[in-house]
């Protein structure tokens, strides 16, 4: 019924706005990098002296249908030289553009009127795009360039902090971000507790974070989507790139399998923090293990003119093992097989088969006697169509189904062990969706995006399903057989956006999303340990629902030399999850009884000023935000700030080319402290001083600020070989930022209590060496 | 398992040896005083003790705020109350009593018009079968010394909960706020050794181990208490007052338990 209505509305809108007075033809093709053959996403194709323009998709495919005529076609993309070619459009044509990266010689030339104006013209709102070239000189922790960590320097995105995995977008929780690597969901995107992301920058082509409008092809997480695409592999020649750093190294190898037809890319990274352990005085320390590794693989084949096959995979693991004490390891495996098919010059299709697995294992005594583990595994089938109907309308529609299998925890005791094995039954569910959207240029100034996604979640047997009363007591357990559909939840999710162009330099944009989230991350610690539990929605645990409205003013100045924007948003969150005191989240088949439910709301304003061209580039970002929660069973039902509530957040990033061979970059971040719970009194129990807590999140951590500086020195640069040194300093003025504050009895005088602040880092200098065989 | 939540800071210190701590000045708002009751009764002929006090501002230099003049009594379910006598400020004792295992006991504390009640079930004693010691070389910031395991046979037909208390040369070993409570979820019916993996003792120590057989309410209290007292490493994300079995918002607990004790001088024991 809902589906029928949508189709009718769509058809009416299309009929009323389509103008078909003249013979029209379609210009289509792919846009790629001339030296590697890699597809370029997001390039803009515009027809000179007209208002016609189009954007290519993430596979480099574009399609534009315009009246028969002679035109001058311009293609623009940041970091590449513009291309302008004349065409005579008297029949549909396929033109593939090969773009040349901007060379150093041209960088100092301020090419006016040729700069990208996407900030003002695109319908995207609240979207952030990054590629490794842009962030090459930005210093991050230990000299490791990390695309994801650098994205967190933009307004609206807050890092969960040093030593913490994940990030918060516009007041949402850590699990409300959908992280995709070549369309495969990544459930834990951190290594070594958040100091590094699992995404090796050498293997990545680009990444886009969507925090405003979330288009209909994405769903399942309430606050944002981080869509990361791997490099495909150079189609023309072999390349080897390596990076040797103080704490980790990576090596990548890419090249053609058959020139211009197929290619591959392999990239591996490993830390050697455990090398330092080998120098330790005691044997158990020397035998301990501490490392992580990542392996990215991709290969692609141009089967024929209209078919392209991509296969990508990722494998990564963290391992920490203290001999005879305990150990744990965690990591992800993903695999994606995709087929791009162009039916004709206007209809593009992408079919994907996706696999993702995240698991962790804890060795409680460090001797492989008893292993406790948990995992989440997804199989996903997706079919997506883009129909470039005419120059004013681009339709997208498709369907998606994910089979989730979650094993919340099992204990595997070795035979002869003193402990018994314990298995908690896996939970299975199907997350399915149907979507359709249209991106329509209503008039010269007004561009509208409208669409909806029907998102459904079904719990499936075999398994036990539990019913609880209001106090969390188990009333009933029902057992279901294989494939039995137990309960379906979800509904329609409208997504809307508009862009009103005031003039060539400025525009106003607005967006609205309604999103269901069916899988939830239960985590009770300050920093996400890998023992966090993923829980599917059920009878007792309703899906989270997010409604977000945002409005923004976008302005470019000095002929697109500067981009600026102001965005304000309001987000309403329903069915938020928190825990009863002392909740037992792990290895608990009735973990749902430990949960309490409530609501949240967040609002804020984000300011951004960016300079993308010239010797000095960078940005200045400021966010003012507030995010609150309210649960009847917590804090006596009074609203309290969420842990991630951060009133002020400032980031300043600057990159300056001192010369052709020397670049310097610096970042300065500042944010007011997270909300935290401190005691309001004390008493004694069994000789111990105990804190008395009356207010949840009633206090703030001290302000956090830090300066990082990096210097890149390009040593050698020739047609076949490149090398550079990178020197960086993390926390340049050595500020002791609080990691946590704890309360304890004074060691010398147990009658005295004191507050102790622990910080992780003082100043950390580092050096790394990069080489590339071309 | 308690070590799990401290993994982040452990890894970090192991790798970087760089973290630093310092005592800081903080302004904490005060709060309305709350009543704290610590009530225990055992299966032996020793007197029962109930401690009643009130909360204090966190950085106050005095550590206890005893409550005098409360009316404290204990009874069996449906039985007659026996009243305690205040022997010192905030300390209430009852002599010449003998509690038997297998029954529910109820404690009532009446103060300023409010009655705080709690009930606890006394389980049968589970005896200590034997103690075993192993030397631990120390690892980084974990000290070296002897680890002790306390062996017992868990009854297979019921849900059991245990608490281990350690006394060194007569004084309770309470440092670092570690509390050793165990449930029999993974060890039901097994003969197993319980112990703290990071608590070490020295050769010359006279060690007394007390194995208490407690009920679920006491287990819930002590495990949630440990979340906020074990502050050697990172604090828990949302600290909250431990789950008390007292009514009307009193802090603290009432535990009726049976126990077994064993005292050894470590150097004699390991040389046997």
């Amino acid at each position: 019924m809902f589906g029928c209505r949508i189709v009718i509305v769509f058809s009416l809108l299309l009929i009323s706005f389509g103008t078909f007075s003249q013979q029209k033809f379609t210009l289509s093709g792919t846009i790629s990098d001339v030296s590697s053959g890699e597809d370029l996403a997001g390039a803009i194709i515009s027809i000179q002296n007209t208002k016609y323009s189009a954007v290519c998709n993430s596979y480099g495919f574009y399609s534009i249908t315009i009246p028969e005529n002679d035109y001058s076609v311009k293609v623009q993309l940041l970091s590449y030289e513009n291309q302008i070619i004349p065409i005579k459009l008297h029949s549909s044509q396929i033109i593939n553009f090969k773009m040349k990266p901007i060379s150093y010689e041209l960088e100092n030339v301020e090419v006016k009127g040729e700069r990208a104006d996407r900030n003002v013209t695109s319908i995207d709102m609240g979207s952030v795009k990054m590629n490794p070239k842009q962030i090459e000189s930005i210093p991050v922790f230990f000299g490791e360039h990390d695309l994801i960590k650098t994205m967190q320097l933009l307004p609206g995105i807050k890092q969960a902090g040093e030593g913490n995995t994940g990030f918060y977008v516009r007041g949402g929780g850590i699990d409300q971000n959908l992280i995709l690597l070549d369309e495969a969901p990544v459930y834990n995107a951190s290594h070594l507790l958040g100091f590094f992301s699992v995404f090796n920058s050498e293997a990545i082509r680009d990444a886009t974070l969507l925090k405003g409008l979330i288009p209909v092809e994405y769903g399942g997480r309430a606050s944002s989507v981080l869509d990361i695409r791997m490099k495909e592999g150079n189609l023309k020649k072999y390349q080897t790139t390596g990076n040797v750093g103080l704490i980790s190294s990576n090596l990548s190898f890419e090249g053609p399998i058959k020139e211009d037809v197929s290619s591959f890319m392999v990239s591996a990274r490993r830390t050697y923090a455990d090398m330092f352990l080998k120098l330790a005085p005691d044997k158990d320390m020397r035998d301990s293990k501490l490392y992580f590794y990542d392996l990215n693989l991709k290969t692609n084949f141009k089967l024929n003119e209209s078919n392209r096959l991509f296969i990508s995979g990722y494998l990564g693991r963290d391992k920490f093992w203290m001999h005879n004490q305990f150990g744990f390891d965690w990591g992800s495996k993903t695999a994606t097989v995709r087929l791009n098919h162009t039916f004709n010059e206007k209809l593009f299709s992408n079919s994907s088969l996706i696999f993702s697995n995240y698991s962790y294992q804890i060795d409680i005594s460090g001797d492989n006697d008893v292993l406790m583990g948990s995992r989440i595994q997804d199989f996903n089938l997706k079919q997506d169509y883009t129909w470039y109907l005419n120059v004013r309308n681009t339709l997208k529609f498709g369907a998606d189904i994910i089979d989730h299998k979650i094993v919340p925890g099992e204990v595997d005791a070795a035979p002869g062990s003193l402990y018994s094995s314990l298995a908690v039954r896996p939970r299975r569910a199907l997350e399915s969706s149907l979507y359709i959207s249209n991106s329509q240029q209503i008039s010269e100034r007004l561009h509208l995006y409208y669409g909806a996604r029907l998102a459904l979640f079904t719990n499936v047997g075999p398994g036990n399903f539990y019913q609880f009363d209001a106090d969390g007591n188990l009333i009933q357990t029902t057992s279901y057989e294989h494939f039995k559909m137990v309960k379906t939840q979800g509904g329609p999710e409208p997504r809307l956006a508009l862009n009103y162009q005031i003039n060539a330099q400025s525009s106003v944009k607005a967006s609205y999303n309604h999103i269901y989230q069916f899988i939830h991350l239960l985590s009770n610690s300050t920093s996400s340990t890998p023992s966090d539990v993923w829980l599917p929605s059920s009878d007792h645990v309703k899906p989270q629902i997010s409604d977000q409205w945002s409005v923004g003013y976008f302005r470019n100045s000095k002929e697109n030399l500067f981009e600026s924007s102001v965005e304000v948003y309001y987000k309403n969150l329903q069915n938020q999850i928190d825990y009863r005191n002392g909740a037992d989240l792990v290895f608990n088949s009735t973990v749902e009884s430990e949960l309490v439910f409530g609501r949240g709301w967040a609002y804020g304003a984000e300011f951004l000023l960016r300079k993308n061209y010239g010797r000095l580039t960078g940005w200045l970002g400021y966010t003012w935000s507030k995010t609150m929660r309210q649960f009847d069973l917590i804090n006596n039902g009074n609203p309290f700030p969420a842990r991630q509530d951060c009133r002020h957040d400032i980031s300043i990033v600057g990159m300056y080319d001192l010369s052709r061979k020397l670049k310097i970059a610096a970042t300065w971040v500042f944010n007011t402290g997270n909300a935290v719970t401190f005691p309001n009194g004390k008493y004694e129990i069994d000789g111990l001083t105990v804190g008395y807590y009356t207010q949840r999140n009633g206090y703030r951590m001290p302000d956090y600020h830090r300066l990082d500086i990096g210097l890149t020195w390009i040593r050698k640069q020739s047609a076949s070989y490149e090398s550079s040194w990178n020197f960086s300093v993390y926390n340049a003025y050595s500020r002791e930022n609080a990691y946590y504050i704890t309360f304890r009895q004074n060691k010398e005088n147990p009658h005295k209590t004191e507050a102790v602040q622990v910080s992780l880092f003082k100043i950390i200098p580092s050096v790394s060496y990069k080489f590339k065989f071309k | 398992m308690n070590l799990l939540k401290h993994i982040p800071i452990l890894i970090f210190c192991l790798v970087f040896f760089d973290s630093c701590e310092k005592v800081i000045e903080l302004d904490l708002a005060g709060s309305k005083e709350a009543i704290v009751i610590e009530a225990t009764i055992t299966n032996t002929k020793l007197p029962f003790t109930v401690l009643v006090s009130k909360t204090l501002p966190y950085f106050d230099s005095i550590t206890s705020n005893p409550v005098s003049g409360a009316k404290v009594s204990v009874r069996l379910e449906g039985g007659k109350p026996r009243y305690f006598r205040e022997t010192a400020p905030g300390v209430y004792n009852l002599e010449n009593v003998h509690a038997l295992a297998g029954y529910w006991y109820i404690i009532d504390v009446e103060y300023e018009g409010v009655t705080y009640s709690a009930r606890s079930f006394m389980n049968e004693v589970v005896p200590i079968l034997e103690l075993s010691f192993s030397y631990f070389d120390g690892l980084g910031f974990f000290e070296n010394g002897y680890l002790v395991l306390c062996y017992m046979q868990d009854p297979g037909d019921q849900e059991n909960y245990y608490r281990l208390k350690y006394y060194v040369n007569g004084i309770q070993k309470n440092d670092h706020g570690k509390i050793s409570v165990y449930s029999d979820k993974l060890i039901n019916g097994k003969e197993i050794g319980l112990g703290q993996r990071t608590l070490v003792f020295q050769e010359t120590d006279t060690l007394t181990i007390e194995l208490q057989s407690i009920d679920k309410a006491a287990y819930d209290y002590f495990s949630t208490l440990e979340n906020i007292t074990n502050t050697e490493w990172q604090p828990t994300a949302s600290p909250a007052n431990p789950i008390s079995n007292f009514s009307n918002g009193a802090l603290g607990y009432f535990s009726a338990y049976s126990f077994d004790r064993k005292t050894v001088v470590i150097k004699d024991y390991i040389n046997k």
Side-chain angles (χ1 to χ4, degrees):
Chain A
M1 231 237 71
F2 172 75
C4 274
R5 272 191 273 153
I6 283 288
V7 174
I8 294 171
V9 168
F10 259 77
S11 319
L12 285 172
L13 275 166
L14 291 177
I15 292 168
S16 59
F17 289 105
T19 46
F20 296 89
S21 51
Q22 217 181 324
Q23 172 90 102
K24 295 198 181 193
F25 295 112
T26 305
L27 184 63
S28 64
T30 48
I31 303 181
S32 55
D33 180 305
V34 69
S35 51
S36 68
E38 286 261 356
D39 296 328
L40 297 172
I44 306 175
I45 300 91
S46 46
I47 314 293
Q48 305 271 64
N49 301 317
T50 70
K51 283 288 173 190
Y52 303 129
S53 74
V55 184
C56 70
N57 69 11
S58 48
Y59 299 100
F61 180 79
Y62 76 92
S63 168
I64 184 166
T65 305
I66 43 183
E68 179 174 0
N69 208 336
D70 294 346
Y71 294 107
S72 197
V73 181
K74 181 169 90 174
V75 183
Q76 287 176 297
L77 181 61
L78 199 60
S79 307
Y80 287 88
E81 283 176 33
N82 294 336
Q83 270 202 47
I84 303 179
I85 67 159
I87 58 152
K88 292 184 189 304
L89 195 67
H90 301 295
S91 63
S92 288
Q93 287 180 43
I94 296 180
I95 299 186
N96 299 322
F97 290 91
K98 309 229 189 291
M99 308 287 284
K100 193 165 155 215
I102 290 181
S103 65
Y104 289 109
E105 272 73 56
L106 278 188
E107 268 199 272
N108 294 340
V109 177
E110 314 244 316
V111 187
K112 293 188 172 57
E114 299 284 314
R115 300 187 202 113
D117 58 1
R118 278 186 68 72
N119 183 45
V120 166
T121 57
S122 77
I123 192 75
D124 300 340
M125 167 173 204
S127 96
V128 173
K129 220 177 147 83
M130 287 240 160
N131 66 53
K133 263 199 278 274
Q134 288 173 297
I135 58 116
E136 233 162 30
S137 38
I138 298 182
V140 197
F141 187 65
F142 255 101
E144 285 283 316
H145 297 296
D146 193 314
L147 202 62
I148 313 312
K149 296 236 152 231
T150 303
M151 270 189 157
Q152 293 164 18
L153 293 171
L154 283 148
I157 306 164
K158 180 169 159 33
Q159 271 199 53
E162 283 158 353
N164 297 329
T165 64
F167 51 93
Y168 306 105
V169 175
R170 293 188 169 172
I174 288 179
D175 64 339
Q176 292 182 2
N177 308 310
L178 178 65
I179 303 177
L180 298 171
L181 179 64
D182 273 1
E183 299 189 59
V186 176
Y187 285 93
N188 184 341
S190 303
H191 280 312
L192 204 60
L193 321 155
F195 296 119
F196 303 99
S197 74
V198 302
F199 307 110
N200 178 357
S201 291
E202 294 301 331
I204 303 212
R205 187 189 75 184
D206 57 55
T208 309
L209 181 88
L210 304 164
K211 58 181 162 82
L213 168 70
I214 294 184
V216 296
E217 58 267 25
Y218 299 104
R221 302 286 190 276
S223 283
S224 77
V225 175
L226 177 58
D227 188 349
I228 302 167
R229 303 277 166 163
M230 281 200 246
K231 266 199 221 165
E232 280 134 33
N234 199 319
L235 278 163
K236 314 245 176 205
K237 52 184 176 167
Y238 295 101
Q239 264 185 340
T240 309
T241 313
N243 218 309
V244 180
L246 276 188
I247 201 166
S248 81
S249 288
N250 61 57
L251 190 64
S252 314
F253 185 51
E254 60 177 306
I257 299 175
K258 184 164 173 198
E259 197 174 321
D260 282 329
V261 172
S262 54
S263 67
F264 71 96
M265 185 273 302
V266 171
S267 185
R269 172 170 74 162
R270 193 198 191 275
T271 40
Y272 23 77
D274 47 351
M275 301 295 218
F276 297 106
L277 291 177
K278 298 262 184 281
L279 306 167
D282 59 55
K283 185 169 189 307
D284 276 348
M285 192 95 113
R286 286 200 300 273
D287 284 345
S288 295
K289 294 197 218 282
L290 174 65
Y291 62 80
F292 70 76
Y293 65 82
D294 295 302
L295 187 62
N296 290 72
L297 298 139
K298 189 158 176 183
T299 167
N300 73 88
F301 305 90
K302 281 189 185 140
L303 300 172
N304 54 44
E305 267 313 302
S306 43
N307 287 295
R308 194 143 174 216
L309 182 71
F310 299 86
I311 304 177
S312 26
Y314 165 78
L315 176 65
R317 205 100 202 138
D318 276 70
K319 194 171 172 85
F320 176 55
W321 191 74
M322 256 167 100
H323 190 63
N324 285 331
Q325 283 297 308
F326 60 84
F328 69 100
D329 65 270
W330 77 93
S332 307
K333 292 187 258 238
T334 71
T336 320
V337 177
R338 280 173 297 170
L339 182 66
N340 279 171
H341 177 68
T342 38
F343 287 90
N344 54 50
E345 63 276 358
K346 290 193 190 185
L347 187 60
F348 178 90
S349 130
N350 182 42
S351 319
S352 326
L353 177 62
I354 302 158
F355 166 78
S356 170
N357 175 305
Y358 167 66
S359 67
Y360 67 82
Q361 196 167 72
I362 300 169
D363 181 345
I364 58 167
S365 41
D367 56 8
N368 285 316
D369 181 45
V370 179
L371 300 171
M372 296 179 169
S374 164
R375 62 182 175 280
I376 176 168
Q377 183 165 287
D378 288 353
F379 275 101
N380 183 358
L381 203 57
K382 230 164 119 169
Q383 176 56 52
D384 181 88
Y385 293 98
T386 310
W387 187 11
Y388 299 89
L389 193 64
N390 55 47
V391 75
R392 286 185 185 282
N393 293 284
T394 306
L395 238 70
K396 217 169 195 323
F397 53 96
D400 186 348
I401 184 160
I402 309 176
D403 171 57
H404 294 293
K405 178 173 169 187
I406 303 176
V407 178
E410 57 191 14
V411 179
D412 192 12
S417 163
L418 296 168
Y419 295 88
S420 20
S421 289
L422 173 74
V424 174
R425 285 186 90 170
R427 297 157 193 265
R428 303 193 88 111
L430 280 175
E431 191 172 340
S432 47
S433 66
L434 274 172
Y435 57 86
I436 185 165
S437 71
N438 187 21
S439 184
Q440 182 169 7
Q441 190 80 45
I442 305 259
S443 72
E444 244 185 58
R445 289 182 200 264
L446 185 64
H447 186 165
L448 211 61
Y449 174 93
Y450 49 93
R453 182 182 172 95
L454 179 63
L456 297 173
F457 190 80
T458 309
N459 298 95
V460 177
N464 290 331
F465 293 87
Y466 308 99
Q467 276 175 301
F468 303 92
D469 67 13
D471 291 324
N473 298 313
L474 182 62
I475 315 174
Q476 197 186 349
T477 303
T478 323
S479 215
Y480 288 94
E481 293 297 302
H482 257 285
F483 306 125
K484 179 105 171 87
M485 311 270 196
V486 178
K487 185 180 174 79
T488 299
Q489 302 186 72
E493 301 179 341
R495 315 275 178 93
L496 306 161
L498 72 77
N499 177 339
Y500 180 76
Q501 259 205 269
I502 302 171
N503 51 46
Q505 288 85 42
S506 59
S507 62
V508 172
K509 304 188 197 180
S511 71
Y512 169 70
N513 295 323
H514 178 80
I515 304 181
Y516 289 92
Q517 178 164 337
F518 301 110
I519 307 222
H520 321 283
L521 179 63
L522 304 184
S523 163
N524 208 355
S525 52
T526 307
S527 66
S528 334
T529 57
S531 60
D532 299 332
V533 176
W534 284 92
L535 186 75
S537 294
S538 65
D539 202 39
H540 190 68
V541 182
K542 307 264 176 289
Q544 296 182 54
I545 304 176
S546 143
D547 285 283
Q548 181 181 274
W549 294 261
S550 69
V551 169
Y553 174 68
F554 295 77
R555 193 188 167 80
N556 283 1
S557 47
K558 294 223 168 163
E559 277 137 343
N560 299 333
L561 183 62
F562 291 99
E563 282 181 0
S564 60
S565 60
V566 178
E567 283 182 58
V568 296
Y569 66 89
Y570 179 83
K571 183 186 296 190
N572 189 45
L573 296 164
Q574 296 172 59
N575 302 328
Q576 298 301 281
I577 298 176
D578 208 307
Y579 321 96
R580 294 183 195 275
N581 185 16
D584 178 13
L585 299 181
V586 194
F587 315 118
N588 182 354
S589 50
T590 53
V591 65
E592 293 159 13
S593 64
E594 311 277 3
L595 307 179
V596 296
F597 306 98
R599 45 182 270 262
W601 59 99
Y603 48 89
E606 296 162 8
F607 300 85
L608 180 65
L609 176 63
R610 234 178 138 153
K611 183 173 188 280
N612 290 323
Y613 302 91
R615 282 179 86 161
L616 174 67
T617 55
W619 65 85
L620 204 83
Y622 169 68
T623 310
W624 182 98
S625 67
K626 194 161 172 175
T627 171
M628 305 287 287
R629 299 288 182 270
Q630 188 269 329
F631 291 79
D632 290 339
L633 295 177
I634 293 182
N635 210 35
N636 297 320
N638 300 317
F640 58 91
R643 185 184 322 151
Q644 64 265 33
D645 183 33
C646 165
R647 199 67 67 245
H648 306 282
D649 193 317
I650 303 173
S651 354
I652 304 179
V653 178
M655 296 164 274
Y656 187 72
D657 293 341
L658 288 165
S659 73
R660 264 195 59 183
K661 297 220 163 181
L662 212 54
K663 296 170 197 267
I664 190 164
T667 63
W668 185 74
V669 293
F670 171 91
N671 54 262
T672 51
N674 281 350
V676 73
T677 306
F678 286 161
N680 278 334
K682 66 172 177 185
Y683 56 97
E684 255 192 18
I685 289 280
D686 208 17
L688 289 169
T689 299
V690 183
Y692 175 44
Y693 297 92
T694 55
Q695 249 186 317
R696 171 83 106 97
N697 290 348
Y699 293 89
R700 293 286 159 160
M701 292 294 279
D703 294 341
Y704 177 102
H705 51 93
R706 189 189 86 228
L707 173 69
D708 303 328
I709 305 178
L711 185 70
T712 306
W713 177 29
I714 299 170
R715 197 75 174 81
K716 242 187 153 130
Q717 201 172 36
S718 69
S720 58
Y721 181 70
E722 242 180 61
S723 73
S724 61
W725 285 94
N726 181 289
F727 306 93
S728 67
V729 179
Y730 181 86
N731 197 7
Y733 50 79
S734 202
R735 175 178 162 83
E736 283 174 22
N737 284 306
Y739 178 44
Y740 63 81
I741 291 178
T742 187
F743 297 85
R744 63 171 190 214
Q745 290 164 264
N746 183 289
K747 289 205 165 84
E748 273 90 59
N749 178 5
H751 292 297
K752 222 167 79 101
T753 42
E754 55 191 16
V756 177
Q757 171 184 296
V758 173
S759 351
L760 286 183
F761 305 112
K762 285 218 186 62
I763 184 173
I764 304 186
S766 116
V767 62
S768 70
Y769 176 71
K770 180 169 176 174
F771 61 87
K772 189 168 179 174
F773 293 99
K774 299 194 270 200
Chain B
M1 270 302 276
N2 292 327
L3 219 42
L4 251 185
K5 59 181 185 224
H6 302 310
I7 286 167
I9 189 71
L10 274 170
I11 290 188
F12 181 74
C13 288
L14 209 62
V15 178
F16 298 112
F17 311 109
D18 197 54
S19 70
C20 32
E21 66 173 46
K22 63 180 184 199
V23 177
I24 55 173
E25 292 293 312
L26 263 187
D27 257 321
L28 293 176
S31 70
K32 223 172 67 154
E33 291 177 326
I35 290 272
V36 184
I37 306 171
E38 212 183 325
T40 51
I41 62 179
T42 66
N43 62 329
T44 65
K45 292 202 162 75
L46 293 169
F48 298 162
T49 308
V50 172
L51 303 172
V52 185
S53 62
K54 279 197 182 155
T55 56
L56 283 163
Y58 194 79
F59 291 116
D60 240 34
S61 46
I62 50 168
T63 49
S64 65
N65 191 4
V67 162
S68 283
K71 230 161 110 182
V72 182
S73 64
V74 65
R75 59 189 165 91
L76 279 168
E77 195 133 37
K80 247 179 24 166
R82 304 254 327 246
Y83 289 90
F84 285 62
R85 208 167 52 90
E86 190 171 352
T87 53
V91 182
Y92 301 79
N93 279 332
L94 183 63
E95 321 233 336
N96 299 321
V97 262
H98 192 181
L100 293 172
Y103 294 94
W104 283 96
Y105 293 89
I106 300 174
I107 288 253
D108 296 300
V109 176
E110 199 197 303
Y111 182 68
E112 285 182 350
V114 186
T115 303
Y116 306 93
S117 297
R119 59 201 288 265
S120 180
F121 186 81
M122 186 180 295
N123 280 306
E124 293 289 345
V125 70
V126 175
I128 298 177
L129 295 176
E130 79 162 310
L131 299 177
S132 92
F133 291 87
S134 60
Y135 191 72
F136 173 58
D137 255 318
L139 185 64
F141 19 69
F142 294 123
E143 301 157 8
N144 57 350
Y146 287 90
L147 291 172
V148 58
L149 283 180
C150 175
Y151 281 86
M152 53 101 216
Q153 168 73 52
D154 176 72
D157 54 350
Q158 48 187 247
E159 265 179 29
N160 297 90
Y161 302 92
Y162 303 99
R163 184 173 173 205
L164 274 178
K165 281 179 84 159
Y166 304 88
Y167 298 86
V168 174
N169 305 328
I171 304 167
Q172 188 177 295
K173 195 157 165 79
N174 230 349
D175 47 327
H176 305 314
K178 288 198 187 75
I179 300 176
S180 314
V181 280
Y182 307 89
S183 96
D184 67 351
K185 193 154 89 158
L186 288 180
I187 54 170
N188 198 23
K190 305 214 168 190
E191 185 186 305
I192 199 154
L194 299 175
Q196 269 277 2
R197 313 195 106 250
T198 50
L199 205 53
V200 291
F201 302 95
Q202 303 310 318
E203 249 190 357
T204 51
D205 290 339
T206 301
L207 171 66
T208 301
I209 286 202
E210 183 177 300
L211 175 64
Q212 299 181 353
S213 183
I214 58 180
D215 71 348
K216 182 167 197 306
Y219 173 77
D220 285 342
Y221 181 81
F222 285 107
S223 28
T224 48
L225 177 66
E226 207 209 3
N227 284 341
I228 56 174
T229 56
N230 191 352
T231 54
E232 184 168 13
W233 306 100
Q234 197 166 349
T236 178
S238 0
N241 301 316
I243 303 173
S244 168
N245 54 355
F246 271 101
S247 62
N248 286 327
L251 298 166
Y253 67 97
F254 166 42
S255 178
Y257 63 90
S258 57
F259 68 91
D260 187 17
R261 262 196 207 146
K262 209 167 161 104
T263 304
V264 296
V265 178
I266 295 185
K267 69 174 191 294
D268 296 337
Y269 204 80
I270 56 173
N271 291 332
K272 257 190 342 197

